[in-house]
Amino acid sequence: MPFLGQDWRSPGQSWVKTADGWTRFLDEKSGGFCKKDDHNKENLFNTINYDVAAKKRKKDLLNNKAKTQYFHQEKWIYVHKGSTKERHGYCTLGEAFNRLDFSSAILDSRRFNYVVRLLELIAKSQLTSLSGIAQKNYMNILEKVVQKVLEDQQNIRLIRELLQTLYTSLCTLVQRVGKSVLVGNINMWVHRMESILHWQQQLNNIQITRPAFKGTTFTDLPLCLQLNIMQRLSDGRDLVSLGQVAPDLQVLSEDRLLWKKLCQYHFTDRQIRKRLILSDKGQLDWKKMYFKLIRCYPRKEQYGDTLQLCRHCHILSWKGTDHPCTANNPETCSTSLSPQEFINLFRF
């Protein structure tokens, strides 16, 4: 029997303990139930409901702002796709995303683009497959990426595209709330969307500062060296932006051979033959062909460092990370995974 001091109350009644036992408490003046006590009880219930709601809002806010990662970062993980007597369960995308050290990977220039591309692919189609902790980890890593770009003033366009992709996906998913498509309170997701808009505004307000160094610049180099450097750019939009810096660079950025090599790098001969465009002079317009091709076919992806899967022991790790492999020649068993192949690894 529950007690509240020396007063036990059944629903709608008030009781007190006497020498003869429990007796219903009556108001001496009114001859009925104690109206004042009922009023106080109603106020108590209202206060409790208010406190519960206030605590829930405070808890949601704290959970949303929490940066603590509730998992252990590992250098490698074992990827298993089935259950046996010795091993139970599956390794999911969210589990792999939590356990592999992506937070440190974004600080490595060789891995930065790989992680950003992975975040973009998850934003497009895999958000609903992540657990609540994995989704929180995703947002924490994304915030670190944005802060790094704001500090370094590099890869601005890349992160703008990532944020726009994520915001578009969330707009679609939030409209379907109540259909088990998102984990967590809707207010938490609205707050995350507001954070994305804030990050976009911060990126738009970046003012690129010119370095104080006044030595040799890119335009001071011989034309052959300038062209050689431009040939190493893998994104045609970078060539266009570079051509807008100075009139001399504008001329170089229109070089037909430059755009031809760019098309041949990203696309096959068959794809190129399907999208031929002739200029007014009757020559192939490689620049227009490039921008037409990227709308029809995926571009070739190239990364300085990637995740690798050991085909012998099914261990997933970053390139160059040693793992306890039992193969005679572990180096020959590892295969590099693109961001899309990493996601496909967890499709059952």
Side-chain angles (χ1 to χ4, degrees):
M1 178 181 296
F3 289 88
L4 183 59
Q6 288 187 343
D7 184 5
W8 174 78
R9 300 171 179 178
S10 61
Q13 298 179 354
S14 297
W15 297 75
V16 293
K17 188 175 182 180
T18 65
D20 298 329
W22 289 95
T23 305
R24 184 184 303 174
F25 179 73
L26 301 176
D27 192 335
E28 295 179 357
K29 295 183 179 180
S30 62
F33 294 117
C34 180
K35 304 298 181 181
K36 182 178 179 180
D37 189 68
D38 286 344
H39 177 72
N40 291 337
K41 181 165 61 176
E42 181 179 356
N43 288 341
L44 176 63
F45 290 156
N46 291 337
T47 302
I48 292 175
N49 291 335
Y50 176 81
D51 291 342
V52 170
K55 289 180 180 179
K56 186 178 185 304
R57 288 195 298 269
K58 184 177 180 180
K59 181 179 179 181
D60 289 341
L61 183 61
L62 290 176
N63 287 339
N64 188 46
K65 291 184 176 180
K67 299 293 187 275
T68 305
Q69 296 173 337
Y70 302 98
F71 39 81
H72 176 66
Q73 298 287 357
E74 302 174 16
K75 293 183 178 180
W76 54 266
I77 62 173
Y78 179 77
V79 180
H80 50 93
K81 288 192 174 185
S83 298
T84 64
K85 293 181 179 180
E86 296 80 13
R87 184 182 66 246
H88 176 69
Y90 297 81
C91 183
T92 64
L93 174 62
E95 181 183 354
F97 189 77
N98 285 343
R99 293 170 61 189
L100 290 172
D101 195 359
F102 287 102
S103 295
S104 299
I106 61 175
L107 302 178
D108 190 332
S109 58
R110 299 170 302 170
R111 300 175 180 176
F112 181 83
N113 286 1
Y114 186 95
V115 177
V116 171
R117 177 58 177 166
L118 180 59
L119 293 176
E120 183 181 10
L121 291 175
I122 292 177
K124 285 182 177 179
S125 60
Q126 300 298 317
L127 278 177
T128 56
S129 67
L130 300 182
S131 65
I133 294 180
Q135 290 173 352
K136 182 183 293 185
N137 184 34
Y138 180 95
M139 295 302 298
N140 289 342
I141 293 176
L142 180 60
E143 183 174 3
K144 291 182 180 180
V145 168
V146 174
Q147 294 303 321
K148 184 178 186 301
V149 172
L150 291 174
E151 294 173 2
D152 300 344
Q153 296 186 343
Q154 298 178 6
N155 301 299
I156 298 175
R157 184 182 64 238
L158 190 66
I159 307 307
R160 281 176 179 169
E161 294 174 351
L162 167 59
L163 293 178
Q164 185 58 45
T165 299
L166 177 59
Y167 188 81
T168 302
S169 296
L170 287 181
C171 286
T172 303
L173 294 175
V174 167
Q175 292 174 359
R176 298 167 56 192
V177 67
K179 299 181 180 179
S180 302
V181 295
L182 285 175
V183 178
N185 188 284
I186 183 63
N187 295 328
M188 176 180 65
W189 284 103
V190 171
H191 179 80
R192 289 173 176 174
M193 294 176 70
E194 291 174 349
S195 298
I196 295 173
L197 292 176
H198 176 65
W199 294 336
Q200 288 178 321
Q201 187 62 40
Q202 285 182 305
L203 293 176
N204 292 334
N205 293 336
I206 286 182
Q207 298 292 332
I208 304 297
T209 56
R210 291 183 176 274
F213 177 72
K214 297 182 179 180
T216 303
T217 64
F218 181 77
T219 54
D220 294 330
L221 298 175
L223 293 180
C224 59
L225 289 181
Q226 294 182 29
L227 190 60
N228 186 278
I229 294 174
M230 295 172 75
Q231 288 176 351
R232 301 178 186 275
L233 298 177
S234 60
D235 194 327
R237 293 170 297 179
D238 292 332
L239 282 177
V240 174
S241 299
L242 185 59
Q244 296 172 348
V245 175
D248 292 340
L249 294 178
Q250 171 67 26
V251 176
L252 284 180
S253 66
E254 297 293 335
D255 185 80
R256 291 182 64 254
L257 183 60
L258 191 65
W259 289 98
K260 178 180 180 180
K261 290 184 177 180
L262 195 60
C263 289
Q264 293 175 337
Y265 172 77
H266 285 289
F267 310 106
T268 64
D269 292 339
R270 182 179 179 181
Q271 292 172 338
I272 292 175
R273 287 195 300 268
K274 289 184 176 181
R275 308 293 172 180
L276 296 178
I277 299 178
L278 297 178
S279 64
D280 297 336
K281 298 180 180 180
Q283 298 176 329
L284 292 177
D285 193 328
W286 291 101
K287 182 179 179 180
K288 289 184 178 180
M289 287 169 56
Y290 170 81
F291 287 106
K292 186 174 183 179
L293 285 166
I294 62 174
R295 291 193 296 268
C296 302
Y297 309 105
R299 289 177 296 177
K300 182 179 179 180
E301 297 180 5
Q302 185 176 17
Y303 305 99
D305 198 358
T306 65
L307 286 169
Q308 290 194 327
L309 179 68
C310 179
R311 297 187 301 273
H312 177 77
C313 53
H314 301 283
I315 284 181
L316 185 65
S317 63
W318 285 103
K319 185 178 180 180
T321 302
D322 294 330
H323 65 272
C325 186
T326 58
N328 294 329
N329 297 312
E331 297 80 8
T332 61
C333 299
S334 296
T335 177
S336 296
L337 298 177
S338 68
Q340 185 62 61
E341 290 171 339
F342 171 79
I343 292 177
N344 294 341
L345 194 63
F346 303 98
R347 288 181 175 174
F348 305 111

